[in-house]
Amino acid sequence: METLKANVDRVHQTIEEACYKSERDASEVQLVAVTKSTDIDHMRRLYDLGERHFAENRSDQLLERQEALADIADEIHWHFIGRLQSRKVKDIVNQVEYIHSLDRLSLAKEINKRARKPVKCFVQVNVSQEASKTGFPPELVEAFIQELAEFPHITVVGLMTMAPYDASEEDLRTYFQQMKHLQTQIAEVGYPHAPCQALSMGMSQDYAIAVEEGATMVRVGTTLFEGA
Ligand SMILES: *Cc1c(COP(=O)(O)O)cnc(C)c1O
């Protein structure tokens, strides 16, 4: 478990260095621990180390974990990442604070219908236009966000993307810069339902670059738990 502490420290330090390089304040960046591939013991230990943002990508596993961590679950900010099937929305929508994978209108309708209060959502952007990825192409994002104005239970807090696994550093920077540009453009409009101040981007492989380019939430799994 000391390895876990070393990994967590290293990730925070990498975020701080990336902020320093890009003249950002480290308090602008939230580490979201992606716990989908780890176990309850490691989640407790992460909590003891001070982490409060956890992300899962399967609804059944999310609920199991919240139950297993019932004594601390209220203090954790829960994130849903990854593809969300409409029929699962009712199970998790009132159990999470954030949904990072709003990628279609039918999902927005279901979230709006099942939520008891506004849910902080990220609109997923397929910035690299890979056929295998869901999300909107950049040019369609704002029109989609405009359509969401009719859903009182959806607040668009930001945009989310997953960069291609095999992208070069140069390509990654281009994708992340496009995301930052799009996010800023939408934020500047000032849609009441879409403040769009946040950028969810960066995973184990690329979070340092994502932070340098403006990420406010990094979703990190593998590198946190390596060897731990
Ligand atoms: C698994 C996952 C991550 C974390 O990826 P790692 O490479 O393990 O850091 C981030 N975002 C999404 C959507 C994921 O599914």
Side-chain angles (χ1 to χ4, degrees):
M1 283 292 188
E2 276 316 293
T3 313
L4 184 63
K5 179 174 180 351
N7 291 351
V8 170
D9 288 348
R10 178 172 40 77
V11 169
H12 281 292
Q13 195 181 338
T14 303
I15 292 171
E16 278 170 33
E17 284 165 6
C19 285
Y20 182 77
K21 264 186 166 170
S22 52
E23 301 183 334
R24 301 181 62 200
D25 192 315
S27 67
E28 292 171 25
V29 182
Q30 180 61 55
L31 172 61
V32 179
V34 176
T35 50
K36 66 189 183 195
S37 304
T38 192
D39 58 23
I40 293 290
D41 284 349
H42 285 78
M43 290 175 79
R44 269 195 195 279
R45 178 80 175 123
L46 271 184
Y47 176 89
D48 291 340
L49 290 168
E51 297 307 319
R52 291 294 181 273
H53 287 255
F54 291 177
E56 289 284 339
N57 70 338
R58 284 178 33 212
S59 44
D60 49 351
Q61 181 162 297
L62 171 85
L63 298 173
E64 277 167 34
R65 274 143 186 231
Q66 288 183 336
E67 209 173 297
L69 298 171
D71 52 321
I72 55 172
D74 285 351
E75 290 167 62
I76 295 169
H77 304 271
W78 293 95
H79 299 246
F80 192 90
I81 58 173
R83 198 163 161 78
L84 180 54
Q85 292 173 277
S86 293
R87 65 188 175 86
K88 302 281 175 126
V89 167
K90 62 178 183 316
D91 301 336
I92 60 118
V93 72
N94 293 301
Q95 300 291 120
V96 296
E97 182 173 341
Y98 296 92
I99 294 176
H100 289 244
S101 42
L102 179 52
D103 61 0
R104 57 197 192 278
L105 191 62
S106 58
L107 179 60
K109 280 185 184 156
E110 187 65 12
I111 291 170
N112 186 61
K113 179 175 161 191
R114 303 290 185 170
R116 290 191 293 268
K117 59 177 171 52
V119 184
K120 297 174 188 169
C121 295
F122 288 86
V123 170
Q124 187 166 352
V125 184
N126 186 357
V127 71
S128 57
Q129 314 250 10
E130 282 179 290
S132 61
K133 288 218 164 79
T134 65
F136 293 90
E139 66 275 15
L140 299 183
V141 169
E142 190 167 355
F144 176 65
I145 286 177
Q146 287 169 352
E147 289 189 87
L148 299 175
E150 65 174 295
F151 300 134
H153 288 156
I154 292 185
T155 304
V156 179
V157 294
L159 305 181
M160 176 275 210
T161 201
M162 289 173 80
Y165 211 63
D166 54 1
S168 66
E169 180 177 332
E170 195 188 346
D171 286 347
L172 287 171
R173 288 196 189 277
T174 304
Y175 294 140
F176 293 148
Q177 285 163 9
Q178 285 175 344
M179 289 292 292
K180 174 71 191 169
H181 180 76
L182 189 56
Q183 175 259 315
T184 307
Q185 197 180 304
I186 293 164
E188 279 173 357
V189 179
Y191 295 107
H193 71 290
C196 204
Q197 297 293 325
L199 262 183
S200 169
M201 58 189 196
M203 307 176 24
S204 290
Q205 281 202 331
D206 56 16
Y207 70 97
I209 297 170
V211 170
E212 286 179 31
E213 301 299 345
T216 67
M217 282 195 177
V218 291
R219 310 177 310 269
V220 178
T222 311
T223 198
L224 275 179
F225 301 107
E226 227 155 37

